[in-house]
Amino acid sequence: MSVPPAPAPTPPPEGSPDPAEVAGQATRSLQGLSTELTARVPQLLEAMRSVGTGLELHTTLDRICETAAELTDARYAAIGVVSEDGDGLADFVYHGIDEAAAARIGRLPDGHRGLLGALIHQPETLRLADLASDPRSCGFPAHHPPMRGFLGVPIRVQGEIFGNLYLTEKRDGGDFNDYDVHMVRVLATEAGIAIGNARLYEAAKQRERWIDGSVAVTTALLSGSDAEDALAVVAEQARHLADSAAGIVLLPDEEGGMEIVAVSSDRPSGALGVVVPPESRIIADLLDGRAVFIDDAATDPRIMTDLARGYGPAMMLPLQSDGRVLGTLVTPRERGARPFTEAERTLAAQFASQAALALMMAEAQRDRERLAVYEDRDRIARDLHDLVIQRLFATGMMLESAQRRSVVPEVQQGVGQAVDELDVTIQEIRTAIFALQQGPAEAPAGLRTRVLREINMAAVPLGFKPSHHFVGPVDTVVGELTGKNLIAALREALSNAFRHAAAARIDVVVDATLVLPDGARGVRLTVADDGVGIAEGGRRSGLKNLKRRAESLGGASWYGPGIGDDGGGTTVVWQAPY
């Protein structure tokens, strides 16, 4: 039986190295190595395998430091990551120094001077028997452990300098030898590949987070929430995605500056309502649609508000779409925090553009809904005027005629009371018609009148008019910002009562004589009903909106039992300084 010939080997793809040639080169290379270096090859291969494990960048840097220290028997190892501008270190990862010692040493090296700074500008292998003997050395800070021997090797990622790998203090007290240099160079090459992969992975994950954040913002804005809630969503998402200390949204004001309208921050802030004047050079750039990036907000001379003094690097991004600047998104980091990278700036600018587009879409959607509401209100007003009032008026005339023909005093008195009640009812319906026909631009300036308008508007869907009571000089002491938020809180509370409470009675109290726990003067809004109360496990989104709105002004909001029998119903309290 004849045996078929073996198939010819498949040639390697054009441009790729021949595996046989690679194996031959490796064999010749190993044959030329000394016995000591050859004996350490398995350790080097294990080190390379360890370095290439995992994709998280900072974990990879930690692993490289630890592996390099084990490979060379060094006490300490570190990687200095060169900043994007190549003028210092953006990060410094170390091994061999515990947290307590690191805390005593204090600030990490920035690479602007000394031997580490020299290696940034001259990225080449450097071996020293004594660090202090090099003229470029500037010594160690207090509490720093003694270090004598030094080995520095550059790490390149795709041909560009990523940083430098530093090793100091061999455990046996000797100097780093040629074998150590050779091994660390090979390890640095593998580290460059691992770091490149980790950077690509982190960039992909970062883009994914920003895309998810844009989707979350668009979904929230188009879900029907009001404009202030929409801006709060933008601020919160931007703060989270940019890893910043705060997220701030500003809108243009009537005098050419910009007003802070939404703030997301863990620290207490009185920023809401602060206006950045138009004289600021930054405002002109932002209104022209140009992004502004600041290295240190606390010291930048262009910043004209004291609020920025506690922050460091900051991005100020215009919210613009179709050539229209809607506002500005600001994401500042803490003082001393790392600056924003070029990738973060690009992603944040794209997020701001997407948020601006979503804001415009949400604004258009609200305009359509508002137009539908106004049209419906016009129809209701016409029906009330043309049908209800006319019939009530005719009924009143009939009763007056019957009253004149009656000779019984009790009947005349009863009919007269009925006619008076009809007159009051007609006046209340006319007030409701006036409220229905008023547009937002016609809203009067007085807080008392605005409260009455909201109550009259709520009377139509409720089927009855809530009672009201004012305490103190409401119109003269309550400022515009607090008054605007109080009206929004009243509207939210009345809307909740109409949709969920099934109440037959609602009492509204506005008290401008309040003294807050911190001694400040304030105003309190109380809306109490006798409805069904808040169901266990029911939605609390409206109440959360009230609380967030009050806390943004330095106030508070809560709820409790209502005014029904045995505390039935709900009482909502909202208060803030004025």
Side-chain angles (χ1 to χ4, degrees), residues 2-45:
S2 63
V3 179
T10 304
E14 185 177 352
S16 63
D18 185 353
E21 179 62 25
V22 172
Q25 290 177 357
T27 302
R28 290 191 296 272
S29 176
L30 288 174
Q31 289 173 349
L33 296 178
S34 67
T35 304
E36 179 181 347
L37 192 54
T38 303
R40 296 173 68 180
V41 166
Q43 185 183 7
L44 175 61
L45 293 175

Side-chain angles (χ1 to χ4, degrees), residues 315-328:
M315 294 188 291
M316 309 182 76
L317 308 164
L319 296 169
Q320 62 176 337
S321 181
D322 197 23
R324 176 186 170 192
V325 177
L326 304 177
T328 295

Side-chain angles (χ1 to χ4, degrees), residues 221-224 360-370:
L221 296 186
L222 298 181
S223 64
M360 290 190 66
M361 293 172 62
E363 182 181 349
Q365 177 176 291
R366 286 191 294 272
D367 287 344
R368 290 193 299 270
E369 293 173 352
R370 195 178 296 117

Side-chain angles (χ1 to χ4, degrees), residues 444-454 470 475:
L447 178 60
R448 183 188 300 263
T449 308
R450 281 183 282 173
V451 169
L452 291 174
R453 178 186 174 206
E454 292 297 328
F470 296 96
D475 283 336

Side-chain angles (χ1 to χ4, degrees), residues 261-281:
V261 296
V263 178
S264 172
S265 175
D266 287 335
R267 66 169 74 170
S269 172
L272 203 64
V274 171
V275 175
V276 182
E279 292 79 18
S280 171
R281 287 178 289 168

Side-chain angles (χ1 to χ4, degrees), residues 114-304:
L115 196 58
L116 302 189
L119 287 175
I120 292 175
H121 300 289
Q122 297 176 342
E124 55 188 23
T125 300
L126 177 64
R127 178 173 46 166
L128 298 172
D130 186 1
L131 277 168
S133 65
D134 192 286
R136 296 169 293 184
S137 178
C138 60
F140 296 112
H143 308 295
H144 196 286
M147 294 181 180
R148 182 175 166 275
F150 176 84
L151 176 60
V153 177
I155 299 176
R156 290 178 169 83
V157 177
Q158 296 178 346
E160 297 182 357
I161 291 296
F162 171 82
N164 290 284
L165 173 61
Y166 316 112
L167 296 158
T168 60
E169 283 296 291
K170 294 203 68 162
R171 294 184 182 276
D172 60 5
D175 298 333
F176 291 101
N177 54 36
D178 293 340
Y179 305 129
D180 295 324
V181 172
H182 189 87
M183 304 283 272
V184 173
R185 280 177 174 171
V186 175
L187 182 64
T189 302
E190 177 63 24
I193 298 172
I195 291 170
N197 292 335
R199 289 174 73 178
L200 289 174
Y201 176 76
E202 284 215 343
K205 295 294 289 183
Q206 190 178 43
R207 283 193 296 270
E208 182 181 357
R209 287 195 301 270
W210 282 95
I211 291 172
D212 289 343
S214 297
V215 172
V217 165
T218 303
T219 302
L221 296 186
L222 298 181
S223 64
S225 57
D226 62 31
E228 292 184 5
D229 291 338
L231 295 174
V233 170
V234 173
E236 177 65 29
Q237 285 289 336
R239 171 195 168 203
H240 170 68
L241 294 169
D243 192 24
S244 57
I248 303 170
V249 176
L250 301 91
L251 296 182
D253 71 347
E254 297 178 353
E255 298 182 356
M258 281 196 168
E259 179 185 358
I260 297 176
V261 296
V263 178
S264 172
S265 175
D266 287 335
R267 66 169 74 170
S269 172
L272 203 64
V274 171
V275 175
V276 182
E279 292 79 18
S280 171
R281 287 178 289 168
I282 292 178
I283 294 297
D285 289 336
L286 293 170
L287 291 176
D288 286 340
R290 293 190 294 270
V292 177
F293 301 103
I294 297 174
D295 294 330
D296 187 5
T299 58
D300 195 296
R302 297 172 295 176
I303 301 294
M304 300 183 66

Side-chain angles (χ1 to χ4, degrees), residues 397-414:
M397 294 184 65
M398 291 172 60
L399 289 173
E400 287 180 339
S401 176
Q403 182 186 30
R404 287 192 297 269
R405 289 197 298 269
S406 175
V407 295
V408 181
E410 291 81 358
V411 173
Q412 288 182 337
Q413 182 180 1

